[in-house]
Amino acid sequence: MSTPSENRPSMPLSVSPAFTQPAYTENFYEAVGGHETFVKLVDVFYAGVAEDPLMRPMYPEEDLTAAKERLQGFLEQYWGGPRTYSEQRGHPRLRMRHMPFAVTPSARDAWLRHMRDAVDSLELSPLHEATLWDYLERAAHSMVNSA
């Protein structure tokens, strides 16, 4: 009587390289359109912030250009783009960088409203939109540091 393993055809011990390569090699940054997508996201977001009486005072610079560059650089790096943010500013340390500002639940909600408008303006695929929004929502909640 033979065992089940004796009846199986012999299989190679290594897997063909064709099976070890992922079929999908783009990272999120590339998949959603790269630099241009993040420029639009940040531009639309800060257009809302610039007009928001709760949010605008949290950005001490008169010109929001530097804030836009920081957010864009951070998001691009986080999602697989250029590492410019860390090269220029070091580790993101988001909570530490936001500590000087009273990030209340109201401020978080205002931030999320403007970011929702920005994400919607991108017209991403449902999967990419949900992935991006999930991160942004979790990040916003984690920044709250005041009642």
Side-chain angles (χ1 to χ4, degrees):
M1 182 166 149
S2 63
T3 64
S5 63
E6 292 172 346
N7 292 332
R8 275 186 273 169
S10 65
M11 298 292 289
L13 294 176
S14 63
V15 177
S16 166
F19 293 107
T20 61
Q21 296 297 321
Y24 182 78
T25 58
E26 278 187 317
N27 64 25
F28 187 89
Y29 175 80
E30 295 165 344
V32 299
H35 179 74
E36 293 76 20
T37 296
F38 287 91
V39 167
K40 182 175 182 180
L41 177 73
V42 170
D43 283 349
V44 173
F45 171 74
Y46 276 106
V49 167
E51 302 300 319
D52 189 304
L54 177 64
M55 294 296 297
R56 186 60 182 95
M58 297 178 93
Y59 296 86
E61 304 106 338
E62 187 168 326
D63 180 4
L64 292 172
T65 301
K68 290 167 77 171
E69 289 172 356
R70 289 189 300 268
L71 178 59
Q72 180 183 324
F74 169 77
L75 291 172
E76 285 183 330
Q77 178 174 308
Y78 181 86
W79 293 105
R83 298 196 43 82
T84 310
Y85 182 91
S86 287
E87 291 166 3
Q88 294 175 350
R89 298 182 52 84
H91 189 280
R93 300 179 304 223
L94 292 180
R95 284 197 49 85
M96 183 199 79
R97 292 185 195 274
H98 288 82
M99 287 308 285
F101 307 100
V103 182
T104 63
S106 295
R108 174 205 58 215
D109 294 346
W111 190 93
L112 284 169
R113 272 193 309 278
H114 298 301
M115 192 53 79
R116 180 76 255 173
D117 290 342
V119 170
D120 289 346
S121 77
L122 301 176
E123 299 179 357
L124 299 174
S125 73
L127 176 60
H128 290 128
E129 183 275 327
T131 302
L132 178 59
W133 184 248
D134 177 66
Y135 168 75
L136 293 168
E137 195 169 38
R138 285 184 293 113
H141 284 276
S142 74
M143 293 299 113
V144 174
N145 60 21
S146 299

